[in-house]
Amino acid sequence: MTNSNILLVDNCAADIENVKKAFSDIGIKSTLHLAQNDNDAWLMLQGENKISPIPKIILIDINEESVNGINLLSKMRVHPDLKSILVFVITRIDNEVNKAAALNLNIAGYMHKPFEGKNTTDFFSILNDYWNIIEFSSEKK
């Protein structure tokens, strides 16, 4: 999955730094873009700050305060250019309502955030292995 974009939607500074460090430690070649909330993410997907090419993967914490991830997922799933993006919910909060809603919006996975450095690296190493064996559309947007 070299030279592709990944969008992280999260507003926890410590978690963002852990993800950046894990990506660096693992050597993930994708460009990591950061959005603080669903509105920022939408602008990066369809607004004036649009990421090009469109990310193949979105990592989102739908349970963070000020991140309306269900709203973002709902808009993405009806948009012709965004509906096939792989979305992984990575959260530390158990919210069964949000979990059910996200699963009904065809997310690729709902996982709990790792809390410490090595655990974060191991976690993203496994995800990176998965991302590198699946096939993505070669269609350019």
Side-chain angles (χ1 to χ4, degrees):
M1 200 178 78
T2 306
N3 298 327
S4 60
N5 291 314
I6 295 176
L7 176 59
L8 172 63
V9 185
D10 198 328
N11 59 13
C12 177
D15 291 341
I16 292 167
E17 288 307 311
N18 284 338
V19 172
K20 287 180 180 179
K21 182 174 181 341
F23 273 48
S24 175
D25 289 350
I26 296 164
I28 295 175
K29 302 292 184 214
S30 299
T31 302
L32 182 65
H33 297 269
L34 306 171
Q36 293 288 312
N37 57 50
D38 54 301
N39 292 324
D40 291 347
W42 186 253
L43 290 174
M44 295 174 88
L45 295 170
Q46 284 301 296
E48 58 190 48
N49 299 325
K50 185 176 178 179
I51 299 168
S52 182
I54 293 173
K56 294 178 187 255
I57 295 170
I58 295 179
L59 309 170
I60 184 170
D61 187 341
I62 62 172
N63 295 313
E64 281 288 341
E65 192 172 320
S66 82
V67 176
N68 188 342
I70 300 302
N71 179 54
L72 177 62
L73 284 167
S74 297
K75 291 191 319 189
M76 287 175 53
R77 292 307 185 222
V78 297
H79 192 287
D81 295 337
L82 305 176
K83 65 183 177 184
S84 65
I85 294 174
L86 284 181
V87 178
F88 294 88
V89 172
I90 304 172
T91 186
R92 73 173 39 92
I93 299 170
D94 287 323
N95 181 321
E96 288 301 317
V97 172
N98 280 350
K99 181 179 181 180
L103 290 168
N104 285 329
L105 290 166
N106 299 318
I107 60 168
Y110 190 98
M111 299 160 276
H112 288 274
K113 285 182 180 177
F115 288 98
E116 297 167 4
K118 180 169 176 7
N119 292 342
T120 303
T121 301
D122 291 346
F123 178 84
F124 280 104
S125 181
I126 292 166
L127 275 180
N128 186 52
D129 289 345
Y130 171 71
W131 298 336
N132 284 309
I133 62 171
I134 61 174
E135 291 188 25
F136 292 92
S137 170
S138 60
E139 183 178 337
K140 303 244 184 226
K141 298 280 181 197

